[in-house]
């Protein structure tokens, strides 16, 4: 059974940093495209970042480009999101997900909450 | 960037059919995916590639896509279908390619 578990969220001050992790199991992680998606409190879904199966190709939403870095360790079946220069508007639940062949996201982890506040 | 437009809310009586629309320029040329999100839970894929259902999703959920509008249809609506629904596409012509609609709150009366 496919399982994704995010961790690393918490309370951080503006300008601070956090590193999110996503532990994957139940599928061939090294063959899978992975993505991070976030949802601000009471708001809709926003795609954040994508990484190819090898890790050689990445992409970022304009709202996080230059501040966030996506990476993966296929030997550990793990996905990461390094978040620097955090802003109040980065406050959200962050989900990791597998990207399918036509760009769909399935399944999703349960999410980890990031709160940026002074 | 590509924009998807959904109505903020749709209401339907139990047992009736609900339709949730997703508008976008020539959306019929894209593969549209739909997600259900219940309060406090992660989103769940309910329809992909316009009209296919993942395993475990009831046949009551169906989708269509043509022209400038995609539609998620939920037949014989149940109280448990009350949730937020999001459409999404992958715009392969754009660098930042994954786009969500703003979401629709389905209320079962």
């Amino acid at each position: 059974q496919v399982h994704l578990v995010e961790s690393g969220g918490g309370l951080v001050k503006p300008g601070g940093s956090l590193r999110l992790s996503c532990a994957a199991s139940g599928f061939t992680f090294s063959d899978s495209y992975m993505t991070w998606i976030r949802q601000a409190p009471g708001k809709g879904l926003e795609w954040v970042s994508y990484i190819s199966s090898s890790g050689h190709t990445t992409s970022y939403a304009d709202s996080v480009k230059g501040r966030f870095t996506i990476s993966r360790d296929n030997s550990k079946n793990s996905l990461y999101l390094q978040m620097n220069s955090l802003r109040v508007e980065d406050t959200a639940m962050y989900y990791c997900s597998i990207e399918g062949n036509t760009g769909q996201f399935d399944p999703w982890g349960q999410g980890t909450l990031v709160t940026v506040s002074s | 960037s590509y924009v998807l437009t959904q109505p903020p809310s749709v209401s339907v009586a139990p047992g009736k059919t609900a339709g949730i629309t997703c508008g976008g320029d020539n959306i019929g040329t894209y593969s549209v995916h739909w997600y259900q999100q219940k309060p406090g839970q992660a989103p769940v894929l309910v329809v992909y590639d316009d009209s296919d259902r993942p395993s475990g999703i009831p046949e009551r959920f169906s989708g269509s896509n043509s022209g400038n509008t995609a539609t998620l249809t939920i037949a014989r609506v149940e109280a448990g279908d009350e949730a937020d629904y999001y459409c999404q596409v992958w715009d392969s012509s754009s660098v930042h390619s994954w786009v969500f609609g703003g979401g629709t709150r389905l209320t079962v009366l």
Side-chain angles (χ1 to χ4, degrees):
Chain A
Q1 182 181 4
V2 176
H3 207 207
L4 299 169
V5 179
E6 302 92 338
S7 61
L11 175 64
V12 62
K13 288 182 168 54
S17 298
L18 274 179
R19 188 195 196 206
L20 305 184
S21 299
C22 172
S25 60
F27 65 103
T28 306
F29 181 75
S30 58
D31 288 344
S32 301
Y33 300 158
M34 299 297 296
T35 198
W36 288 98
I37 299 155
R38 69 183 181 183
Q39 185 173 35
K43 303 297 185 182
L45 301 170
E46 179 189 17
W47 168 77
V48 173
S49 185
Y50 154 88
I51 188 166
S52 62
S53 55
S54 65
H56 292 155
T57 301
T58 60
S59 184
Y60 300 91
D62 286 340
S63 57
V64 306
K65 195 169 185 178
R67 302 187 297 121
F68 290 12
T69 302
I70 191 171
S71 63
R72 63 192 297 160
D73 186 337
N74 287 343
S75 68
K76 296 183 178 179
N77 286 351
S78 293
L79 174 71
Y80 307 102
L81 187 67
Q82 178 66 44
M83 304 186 297
N84 298 330
S85 303
L86 282 161
R87 305 168 179 169
V88 171
E89 55 265 35
D90 294 319
T91 294
M93 184 71 78
Y94 285 73
Y95 299 98
C96 65
S97 183
I98 304 171
E99 188 206 346
N101 291 336
T102 52
Q104 71 272 40
F105 303 122
D106 181 49
W108 300 50
Q110 282 306 299
T112 187
L113 182 62
V114 173
T115 303
V116 184
S117 174
S118 55
Chain B
S1 61
Y2 194 69
V3 175
L4 296 175
T5 301
Q6 297 182 237
S9 63
V10 168
S11 298
V12 63
K16 300 299 186 182
T17 298
I20 299 173
T21 59
C22 177
D25 187 33
N26 285 320
I27 195 173
T29 63
Y30 295 84
S31 288
V32 178
H33 316 301
W34 291 92
Y35 304 88
Q36 176 194 67
Q37 185 180 32
K38 297 181 179 179
Q41 298 184 19
V44 173
L45 181 70
V46 293
V47 167
Y48 68 100
D49 292 353
D50 299 338
S51 59
D52 290 335
R53 279 184 313 277
S55 61
I57 301 300
E59 291 183 5
R60 300 185 298 105
F61 289 81
S62 62
S64 62
N65 184 20
S66 179
N68 292 318
T69 304
T71 303
L72 173 70
T73 302
I74 309 171
R76 302 179 297 283
V77 167
E78 304 172 355
D81 297 330
E82 190 161 281
D84 293 327
Y85 291 86
Y86 295 89
C87 60
Q88 177 250 323
V89 302
W90 173 41
D91 179 8
S92 59
S93 66
S94 171
V95 174
H96 307 304
S97 303
W98 295 267
V99 181
F100 287 96
T104 299
R105 172 67 55 87
L106 177 68
T107 298
V108 181
L109 300 171

